[in-house]
């Protein structure tokens, strides 16, 4: 896709985040949206080469809307200043829907490419199930964390919003207690976007997601509770 045009549009949107501006520039947006759809479509094909569970994902359902939900937010700007997509089996992004781990990426107006995978802030019941799986499969969890591809690309799991103390019911002396404190089981990295080489975008994303496949696979082994699937 035309990455320079995309970052320019998003940069301008961040400075003019109003409905009148967006309506005036909607023809630009529509073209970029179609190009982004082509990227997501190609990416799903590439991911299905190592993860067959995403082979049938609908690329349109994987793409996030640019409109913000401002109902409960103090920030009333109507539009997101990024293009983003989340690829999950069966087009179900929420763990409560049975979708599990998500392959997520975004592009912003500063020319930054964000790549992540796993489960970000899962619901309470699902988070508890993941934590219990860390305890019950401590060896497998440790092996996953040491995966050389995962560590080389992402380092450790994202520790955003990490608890200060162990969650109730978990042994403070457990060898993985620092990971048990996490609220997300997600990896994340940000890279400068190579706007002068747009054809490299999909291969770059596919490599990044394949490097996270060890985490995705481990999370798929977490038993779903009754609360998860209600």
């Amino acid at each position: 896709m035309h990455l320079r045009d995309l970052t320019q549009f998003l940069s301008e949107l961040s400075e003019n985040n109003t409905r009148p501006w967006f309506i005036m520039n909607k023809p630009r947006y529509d073209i970029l949206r179609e190009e982004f759809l082509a990227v997501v479509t190609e990416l799903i094909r590439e991911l299905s080469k190592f993860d067959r569970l995403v082979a049938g994902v609908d690329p349109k359902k994987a793409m996030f809307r640019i409109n913000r939900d401002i109902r409960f937010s103090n920030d009333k700007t109507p539009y997101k200043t990024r293009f983003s997509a989340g690829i999950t089996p069966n087009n179900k992004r929420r763990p409560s829907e049975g979708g599990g781990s998500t392959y997520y990426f975004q592009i912003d107006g500063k020319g930054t490419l964000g790549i992540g995978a796993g489960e970000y802030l899962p619901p309470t019941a699902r988070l508890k199930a993941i934590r219990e799986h860390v305890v019950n499969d401590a060896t497998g969890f440790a092996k996953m964390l040491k995966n050389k591809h995962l560590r080389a690309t992402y380092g450790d799991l994202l520790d955003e919003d990490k608890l200060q103390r162990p969650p109730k019911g978990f042994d403070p002396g457990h060898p993985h207690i620092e990971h048990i404190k996490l609220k997300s089981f997600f990896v994340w990295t940000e890279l400068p976007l190579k706007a002068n080489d747009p054809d490299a975008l999909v291969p770059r994303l596919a490599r990044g997601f394949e490097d996270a496949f060890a985490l995705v696979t481990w999370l798929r082994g977490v038993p779903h509770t009754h609360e998860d699937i209600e």
Side-chain angles (χ1 to χ4, degrees):
M1 69 180 302
H2 294 89
L3 295 176
R4 289 190 187 280
D5 292 347
L6 175 58
T7 54
Q8 180 66 31
F9 173 83
L10 292 172
S11 178
E12 292 177 26
L13 175 59
S14 67
E15 297 175 0
N16 305 276
N17 201 328
T18 65
R19 181 171 172 78
W21 185 92
F22 189 83
I23 291 173
M24 186 179 298
N25 288 273
K26 193 169 186 300
R28 295 169 63 193
Y29 168 77
D30 290 339
I31 292 170
L32 292 166
R33 182 80 172 172
E34 284 302 310
E35 292 183 352
F36 191 68
L37 175 61
V39 167
V40 176
T41 301
E42 183 182 352
L43 178 59
I44 290 170
R45 285 198 297 267
E46 290 300 308
L47 297 188
S48 66
K49 292 178 181 178
F50 65 85
D51 187 349
R52 60 182 179 81
L53 294 184
V54 302
V57 171
D58 182 341
K60 290 184 178 180
K61 291 183 178 179
M63 296 164 61
F64 287 93
R65 298 172 68 245
I66 199 166
N67 301 78
R68 294 182 63 249
D69 184 352
I70 60 175
R71 292 174 298 172
F72 309 108
S73 175
N74 292 326
D75 179 2
K76 298 302 181 183
T77 51
Y79 305 105
K80 300 171 187 173
T81 55
R82 62 184 180 273
F83 270 30
S84 56
I87 300 169
T88 308
N90 303 315
N91 304 303
K92 297 177 179 180
R93 296 196 192 109
R94 294 192 296 273
S96 59
E97 294 178 322
S101 294
T102 297
Y103 298 106
Y104 174 85
F105 78 98
Q106 66 179 36
I107 297 171
D108 66 22
K110 296 179 181 179
T112 302
L113 174 64
I115 306 174
E119 297 191 26
Y120 184 76
L121 296 177
T124 301
R126 177 62 179 170
L127 179 57
K128 183 180 179 183
I130 294 173
R131 287 169 169 166
E132 289 175 345
H133 196 51
V134 172
V135 174
N136 297 330
D137 184 33
T139 300
F141 184 73
K143 182 179 179 181
M144 178 273 293
L145 291 177
K146 293 177 182 177
N147 181 276
K148 64 179 182 180
H149 300 292
L150 185 77
R151 295 204 68 82
T153 300
Y154 301 99
D156 205 346
L157 302 183
L158 189 68
D159 63 357
E160 185 178 290
D161 298 321
K162 181 179 179 181
L163 295 176
Q164 294 296 316
R165 298 178 179 178
K168 185 178 180 180
F170 289 87
D171 179 8
H174 192 278
H176 295 309
I177 193 60
E178 292 305 313
H179 287 100
I180 291 171
K181 293 179 184 178
L182 297 177
K183 290 187 177 181
S184 297
F185 284 75
F186 197 82
V187 288
W188 179 254
T189 189
E190 293 183 352
L191 308 163
L193 191 65
K194 296 180 179 178
N196 60 341
D197 189 11
D199 292 338
L201 178 59
V202 171
R204 197 179 192 193
L205 287 167
R207 286 195 302 272
F209 289 140
E210 189 169 11
D211 289 342
F213 191 52
L215 171 61
V216 171
T217 301
W218 185 85
L219 285 168
R220 285 177 180 165
V222 177
H224 280 276
T225 64
H226 176 70
E227 290 86 351
D228 282 337
I229 58 180
E230 278 188 334

